[in-house]
Amino acid sequence: MSQGFSLYLDAVRLCAALMVVASHLAYARYTDGTFQWVRDLNIGSDAVVIFFVLSGFVIAYTTCSKDRPARDYATARLARLYSVVVPAILVTVCLDSLGASLFPNVYEAHWYNGDNRASQIVTALTFMSQGWGGDIRLGTNGPFWSVAYEAWYYAAFGVAVYCRGRTRTLLLAMVALIAGPRILLLAPCWLIGVALQRVMQTPLYHGIGRKMALALCATPLALYAGAQASDLPAFLTSATTSLLGGTSPNALFGFSDEFLWNFLISLLVASHFMGAARLLASAGRMGARRQSAIRWGAGATFSIYLFHNPILSFLHALPVYDRANPAHWAALCVITLGACFL
């Protein structure tokens, strides 16, 4: 992987995290409905799909290129998860408890789960909050759902890489059975990232010229914009509803309700990354300060993702907050991101 492409992936990772934050800030309870168009575009959900493709690609790349043993793989994945998950749970529980105690009327809303806190913590720590039709929200931390998906994708990939024969088949079946259908529905998005890593090792990829690379890089952006303009995500969801006999996909699949659209996004993201990788293969070196800034920002993406919602929820509950005041929106955004980076 070239340094230019590596830095580009880091920049994309940071931008995706900020897209999720922007999507949540657009809720009426924070900004009085002024940015409802951001909610309508559903860019936060689309950004999570970018994370899935990125995750599959990077995990496949680091695992295969370093040729590390199973123990190192498991240690790295668990460290990556729990180093942020445990603090996120603590911050969420503390802020939610304080907020619900001080401002009970504000926290009596659909976005806060104040029931059975012990069950919330256990399912969060074991990544079982989305298994088999369940959706056990960790207090106000709605974004936590995707971590349960990632953890099981890590487990399945580890089994696929490090196990052989009947053992691999049995363990993969066990992982799938435990994870449940919702998590499996978005597994192709993660696997497209793995497939991209494999394709980029082939002579076919290395034979891509500059014009083709530009097309691979730019066309997905145009197609995504066209799909949004033509309301393709809503059409696919409607088609899914019809196939299910009128039952809402969200009721059955939860956060995987747009799995058809998410799969298409994954293909577009993979194509864009392939083109970008070729274009950046011979890019000049970036200044040390810019490199450091991008790396540092990208290193905070997991924290931004898992910490921002409880902080937003608590701050907006303060009596001084005015959701119709743009200055308050700016302060809410700056304080929240500052706390996440800290």
Side-chain angles (χ1 to χ4, degrees), residues 21 108 124 185 223 234 246 267:
V21 176
E108 289 179 358
L185 273 175
L223 290 175
L267 293 175

Side-chain angles (χ1 to χ4, degrees), residues 27-51:
Y27 277 120
R29 63 179 179 270
Y30 299 131
T31 50
D32 204 32
T34 302
F35 300 101
Q36 181 58 39
W37 60 272
V38 177
R39 296 298 312 159
D40 294 338
L41 288 173
N42 202 24
I43 61 171
S45 176
D46 295 350
V48 173
V49 178
I50 296 175
F51 278 129

